[in-house]
Amino acid sequence: MDKHRFMKAVLPYLLVFPAMFGIAVFVIYPVLYLGYLSFYKYNLMNPAKSKFVGLENYAAIFARDDFYKSLFNTAVYTFGTVVLTLAISLAIAVWLKRSTKLNAFVQAGIFTPHIVSIVSISLVWLWMMEPNLGFLNFALKSLGLPTSQWLQSSDTALLSVIIVSVWQGIGYYVLIIVAALQGISPSIYEAASLDNASNWKVFYKITLPMISPQLFFILIIMTIGSFKVFDTVRMMTNGGPNNATNTIVYYIYQNRTTNIGYASATGMVLMAIIGILTFVYFRMLAKKVHYQ
Amino acid sequence: MTQVFPIARRVLEYVLKLCLLMVFIFPFLWMISTSLQTFRETLAYPPTLVPAVPQFVNYLTALEAGPFGTYFKNSIIITLSIIVMQMVVLIPAAYGFAKYSFRGSGFLFSLVLLAFMIPGQVTFIPVYLMMADWGIGRTLLPQIIPFMTNAFGIFLLRQYFKQVPEELIEAARLDNASELKILWKLMLPMSKPALATIALFSFVSHWNDYFWPLVMTDSAAVRPLTIGIAMLRETEGISNWHVIMAGNVILVLPILLVYIFCSKQIVKAFVYSGIK
């Protein structure tokens, strides 16, 4: 009996132990280690020769233009991606919300890029956006529109990266918004139509508030996800031309071997930004979002 | 208008929706077309849409550009190991969090959520140094063991487990069923959709992963397919689009085939993950 009792008390801890062990070793410890590294001038060849430099790395970050450039690019990228994705996927979702065969088929098609590796997506779009031979400029020219240098000009490179990210992500968000739209009870719309409300008013006063939890969810995961943007940049532009697409994670990546302490400090800054965004969003969530 | 031409309206709707679809499908079609063209055809203006004679040789050229057998094998080993390991770790954890109240459970669960928030882009430098310290930097392990705890999976499965009625579990306990048996015979069968979703997510995200293998690996022997394909641009030259696209098809095809045959389940899984 005593043994039984003991087992009962210990069992839950045994059950969660492996998972907690993984988190401790591969998340919590690395974060502490990252903080530690950020105070050092780290010597990769001979770690014993690493030197404690206090806040020097942090001071260097906030004194360097290239950091601000990457922060600015990341913010522009995030803003562009979030706004475009939300607007376009909301429009498409409203258009495809009725559950018909055709709509389900189109939704599945739009979703395809989301499950394909960013490596493939990037290579395909590099080819599509090739200024001389690519299909995109051919299509623009055929329509009598001006062509673009896309990824190869510092004026349009960041926008091109945004376009690719939006293109890849939309399918997922359309699915979520469609599911949310289908979850709205038809009786609410019937009541509105009895009141002779205009379509726009119905959308603004009923549809939007009813799906705001899902829109909010999308806003959070997209903003945080966009701040981590790296793959498309590494594949398509390597941060160029002329640092026009250098983002925070790419910046960390560039410094990861030559200046580990500095890269670690930048990693801490990234973590702080993600933490603040998450916190702000959850505060807003508690206050504003409509729940049924 | 709408009453006079209902058919015209429907046709128009069909055409417009298919155009929308093409925006998302066409790049893949063009990828396949390019992968079958000659170098000359890729240079043509206007662009070649359908190659005169399909050049399957491009696929051989791409495969000979690097140790693709090794890459492919690595991708499979890494992806499968991660899925198996995650299941072994997350099933008991989800059970513990869902069905037991114990001191510190709230705190521990908040650590799970915290782990969910902290991305690999933050932790990769220390993890890389740790792996080198442990002497396993040149094996496949740095691409596998850091993913042992799938926080999203624990979260999702816990929700499922919570829905299993307490009476059922109590009844099983009265029948002297062991906890392991309850988990195996009662909880898991009722949570199949969640398990499928979790496995599917892990498969897609790790098969496709680029960032983590890029920062963890230094040699071809441990690289997965994504890195191999990405390197085609360096080995084959930036303008050999027909070979690069052939390599690209090789990378995309397994995922696309899976998607074509079970798009319904995949779409459902993703929708579910986003709402709960």
Side-chain angles (χ1 to χ4, degrees):
Chain A
M1 192 60 199
D2 265 339
K3 196 183 158 203
H4 188 74
R5 257 231 179 102
F6 175 75
M7 266 311 285
K8 232 185 152 179
V10 175
L11 187 66
Y13 295 99
L14 288 179
L15 289 173
V16 302
F17 176 76
M20 299 322 291
F21 175 81
I23 290 174
V25 176
F26 296 112
V27 180
I28 296 173
Y29 178 71
V31 167
L32 298 175
Y33 195 5
L34 186 76
Y36 168 87
L37 289 169
S38 72
F39 295 121
Y40 279 80
K41 187 160 181 58
Y42 191 84
N43 190 325
L44 191 58
M45 293 298 132
N46 186 355
K49 277 193 180 164
S50 299
K51 209 174 82 194
F52 181 80
V53 293
L55 292 171
E56 213 172 86
N57 288 322
Y58 291 94
I61 289 175
F62 294 107
R64 272 171 66 164
D65 286 344
D66 53 358
F67 171 75
Y68 287 109
K69 175 82 178 157
S70 72
L71 185 64
F72 176 75
N73 286 340
T74 311
V76 171
Y77 169 87
T78 301
F79 182 78
T81 310
V82 171
V83 169
L84 285 176
T85 307
L86 264 181
I88 299 173
S89 46
L90 189 59
I92 294 179
V94 169
W95 194 28
L96 300 178
K97 76 173 172 185
R98 277 184 38 231
S99 60
T100 64
K101 275 218 161 92
L102 174 68
N103 285 351
F105 181 67
V106 176
Q107 281 170 32
I110 295 177
F111 183 70
T112 313
H114 195 81
I115 56 156
V116 170
S117 169
I118 200 74
V119 170
S120 305
I121 302 283
S122 303
L123 288 174
V124 169
W125 279 95
L126 264 171
W127 177 214
M128 296 277 290
M129 289 174 161
E130 215 280 328
N132 301 315
L133 304 164
F135 188 84
L136 230 44
N137 273 354
F138 165 73
L140 287 177
K141 222 184 266 174
S142 311
L143 295 171
L145 295 168
T147 60
S148 167
Q149 288 296 302
W150 301 109
L151 295 155
Q152 298 193 9
S153 150
S154 53
D155 294 331
T156 51
L158 190 57
L159 181 66
S160 306
V161 175
I162 292 175
I163 290 173
V164 175
S165 300
V166 171
W167 179 84
Q168 191 194 18
I170 276 180
Y172 175 58
Y173 303 108
V174 168
L175 288 180
I176 291 181
I177 299 175
V178 164
L181 290 172
Q182 288 174 348
I184 302 176
S185 153
S187 57
I188 299 178
Y189 287 120
E190 281 158 22
S193 73
L194 285 180
D195 283 350
N196 267 333
S198 69
N199 279 345
W200 174 246
K201 206 169 177 188
V202 169
F203 177 75
Y204 189 72
K205 291 274 184 187
I206 299 177
T207 310
L208 268 189
M210 290 301 279
I211 61 170
S212 57
Q214 283 84 1
L215 294 182
F216 184 77
F217 164 82
I218 293 175
L219 199 64
I220 296 181
I221 56 167
M222 273 191 60
T223 308
I224 294 171
S226 300
F227 253 89
K228 302 183 299 195
V229 60
F230 171 83
D231 298 1
T232 38
V233 170
R234 171 71 171 74
M235 284 297 300
M236 297 200 294
T237 63
N238 275 319
N242 201 9
N243 274 337
T245 55
N246 201 335
T247 60
I248 297 184
V249 175
Y250 192 77
Y251 187 70
I252 298 173
Y253 170 81
Q254 277 180 317
N255 291 315
R256 81 197 184 289
T257 45
T258 49
N259 199 343
I260 288 187
Y262 184 75
S264 300
T266 320
M268 293 297 282
V269 173
L270 172 66
M271 194 173 66
I273 293 173
I274 292 177
I276 291 168
L277 285 174
T278 312
F279 180 76
V280 167
Y281 276 137
F282 277 104
R283 285 299 292 272
M284 279 167 56
L285 178 73
K287 276 190 193 149
K288 276 206 169 155
V289 179
H290 167 92
Y291 272 107
Q292 278 154 295
Chain B
M1 254 321 246
T2 49
Q3 275 111 9
V4 183
F5 300 113
I7 296 174
R9 199 185 134 89
R10 282 203 64 174
V11 169
L12 184 68
E13 187 193 334
Y14 254 79
V15 171
L16 286 178
K17 282 180 179 170
L18 290 180
C19 285
L20 176 70
L21 182 66
M22 275 316 270
V23 172
F24 293 86
I25 297 299
F26 178 78
F28 295 113
L29 298 179
W30 208 40
M31 165 183 82
I32 295 169
S33 167
T34 306
S35 77
L36 296 170
Q37 294 177 14
T38 61
F39 180 58
R40 242 175 197 294
E41 281 172 316
T42 65
L43 299 179
Y45 192 92
T48 316
L49 284 179
V50 181
V53 183
Q55 302 291 314
F56 290 102
V57 67
N58 294 341
Y59 287 79
L60 288 180
T61 317
L63 288 175
E64 278 161 10
F68 276 90
T70 309
Y71 294 151
F72 199 75
K73 196 182 77 199
N74 289 342
S75 276
I76 288 179
I77 294 176
I78 292 166
T79 316
L80 291 184
S81 312
I82 289 176
I83 293 176
V84 170
M85 187 183 54
Q86 285 185 347
M87 287 297 168
V88 171
V89 171
L90 74 84
I91 289 171
Y95 185 47
F97 281 123
K99 289 297 176 191
Y100 290 90
S101 51
F102 54 100
R103 195 184 284 267
S105 64
F107 171 71
L108 292 179
F109 193 66
S110 65
L111 286 184
V112 174
L113 295 182
L114 183 77
F116 194 37
M117 292 289 168
I118 296 176
Q121 285 84 350
V122 166
T123 56
F124 78 95
I125 293 176
V127 171
Y128 177 86
L129 296 177
M130 281 159 58
M131 296 295 167
D133 266 356
W134 298 350
I136 54 174
R138 286 169 190 281
T139 67
L140 290 176
L141 291 175
Q143 295 174 76
I144 299 172
I145 54 173
F147 302 105
M148 68 180 277
T149 305
N150 177 348
F152 159 75
I154 295 176
F155 192 73
L156 191 66
L157 193 59
R158 173 178 161 269
Q159 301 289 98
Y160 255 84
F161 281 172
K162 276 192 155 177
Q163 286 164 14
V164 178
E166 204 65 46
E167 298 84 53
L168 273 175
I169 300 172
E170 279 309 317
R173 281 192 185 131
L174 286 177
D175 282 349
N176 268 331
S178 68
E179 290 299 301
L180 195 68
K181 200 170 173 191
I182 292 175
L183 184 56
W184 192 253
K185 294 267 181 175
L186 180 65
M187 305 299 274
L188 288 187
M190 295 186 84
S191 315
K192 272 185 194 155
L195 293 172
T197 303
I198 294 165
L200 197 86
F201 263 138
S202 277
F203 175 72
V204 173
S205 53
H206 292 288
W207 180 271
N208 288 340
D209 196 8
Y210 175 64
F211 174 77
W212 196 260
L214 179 73
V215 294
M216 284 296 141
T217 61
D218 304 311
S219 70
V222 292
R223 283 188 175 129
L225 206 49
T226 42
I227 304 286
I229 300 294
M231 289 197 326
L232 274 180
R233 272 172 69 219
E234 287 130 52
T235 53
E236 286 305 295
I238 186 93
S239 59
N240 277 324
W241 289 106
H242 54 312
V243 179
I244 296 172
M245 287 302 127
N248 213 359
V249 172
I250 296 170
L251 176 64
V252 181
L253 212 55
I255 291 267
L256 275 190
L257 284 179
V258 171
Y259 185 58
I260 287 168
F261 287 113
C262 33
S263 65
K264 247 196 188 137
Q265 288 89 327
I266 292 180
V267 163
K268 250 194 201 138
F270 274 85
V271 171
Y272 182 83
S273 76
I275 289 176
K276 295 287 160 173

